[in-house]
Amino acid sequence: INIFKPSPIKEECIYTLGRLEKIKNIDLVIKSFALYCKNFEDKILKLIIIGTGIEKKNLIKLTEDLNIKKQVAFAGSCDQEKVALIASHSKVGIFLCPNESFGLAAVESMACGTPVIGVNHGGIAETVINEQTGLLSNLDEDEIANKINKLLSDKQALERLSKNARNHVEENYSWNKSTESLHQFFIKI
């Protein structure tokens, strides 16, 4: 929470982070983003994709095919400080990998006060509280596009989720909380 912290400046962007491999569903993030842009006529919003991997060329081609190439930026591999900067300046983080064991990227996003749209499976579903720190979704591009709109069209709800997200991480995932829990565990043994 010392590196991943909120910024008072939120830009007209959303982001995702992960290896550019099929299992991470970055293609679904792109398709959902394109559908949101089309359905809600948003030509300003940007999508930043953090990560590298074997699917990069296919994902770039997908942005071209969907006519959103100018709205999507591939940031490549980034260090923690750069990820924190992007996450803290974004309005929403999207994470759709159903096989995450913990969902660290979602926790980092919430630490930045950036609500999450996450898949309703695996570790992400355990760290994101639906309707409180973000929105959980099925792997459906229409549903995800509508959730993007739901967050971006209601400024008060977005601010509430942002504040809740940061508080949730501070209360449950900070080093102090983790070390205290571990300490209590050892005392019981």
Side-chain angles (χ1 to χ4, degrees):
I1 61 174
N2 294 330
I3 295 172
F4 292 89
K5 52 190 170 195
S7 168
I9 301 165
K10 293 287 188 182
E11 298 173 13
E12 291 299 318
C13 67
I14 62 177
Y15 84 104
T16 191
L17 179 147
R19 291 183 319 278
L20 304 184
E21 297 177 8
K22 289 187 185 282
I23 195 168
K24 295 293 188 172
N25 288 319
I26 304 296
D27 61 329
L28 182 57
V29 174
I30 292 170
K31 290 174 187 174
S32 301
F33 175 76
L35 189 59
Y36 162 79
C37 291
K38 177 184 172 195
N39 289 351
F40 301 101
E41 299 178 11
D42 191 335
K43 305 236 185 273
I44 297 170
L45 190 68
K46 303 280 186 211
L47 169 63
I48 300 172
I49 299 171
I50 303 168
T52 60
I54 59 175
E55 286 295 308
K56 184 174 181 179
K57 287 182 183 178
N58 293 334
L59 295 172
I60 291 171
K61 179 159 181 2
L62 180 60
T63 66
E64 293 167 354
D65 293 346
L66 294 171
N67 201 28
I68 57 168
K69 184 179 180 183
K70 291 180 180 177
Q71 286 178 265
V72 179
F74 287 85
S77 181
C78 297
D79 62 23
Q80 268 194 326
E81 287 76 18
K82 180 70 173 178
V83 171
L85 183 67
I86 292 169
S88 67
H89 284 90
S90 296
K91 291 187 173 183
V92 176
I94 303 179
F95 309 101
L96 301 177
C97 182
N99 301 320
E100 293 290 347
S101 58
F102 176 68
L104 181 60
V107 172
E108 291 171 345
S109 183
M110 292 185 293
C112 289
T114 302
V116 169
I117 296 174
V119 64
N120 197 12
H121 302 284
I124 293 171
E126 293 178 17
T127 57
V128 176
I129 303 171
N130 193 41
E131 301 285 340
Q132 292 182 36
T133 64
L135 302 175
L136 295 174
S137 177
N138 295 307
L139 295 174
D140 177 83
E141 64 188 77
D142 288 314
E143 184 178 340
I144 296 162
N146 286 328
K147 289 190 186 276
I148 293 169
N149 182 59
K150 182 177 180 176
L151 287 178
L152 298 181
S153 64
D154 187 343
K155 187 177 179 180
Q156 289 179 330
L158 191 63
E159 288 174 2
R160 178 181 56 80
L161 289 174
S162 177
K163 189 179 289 186
N164 289 347
R166 175 64 184 193
N167 290 339
H168 174 61
V169 172
E170 286 179 348
E171 292 169 8
N172 296 287
Y173 301 106
S174 69
W175 278 113
N176 290 343
K177 179 69 175 178
S178 297
T179 55
E180 179 59 29
S181 294
L182 189 58
H183 177 73
Q184 293 302 319
F185 174 75
F186 284 131
I187 289 173
K188 287 179 185 176
I189 302 178

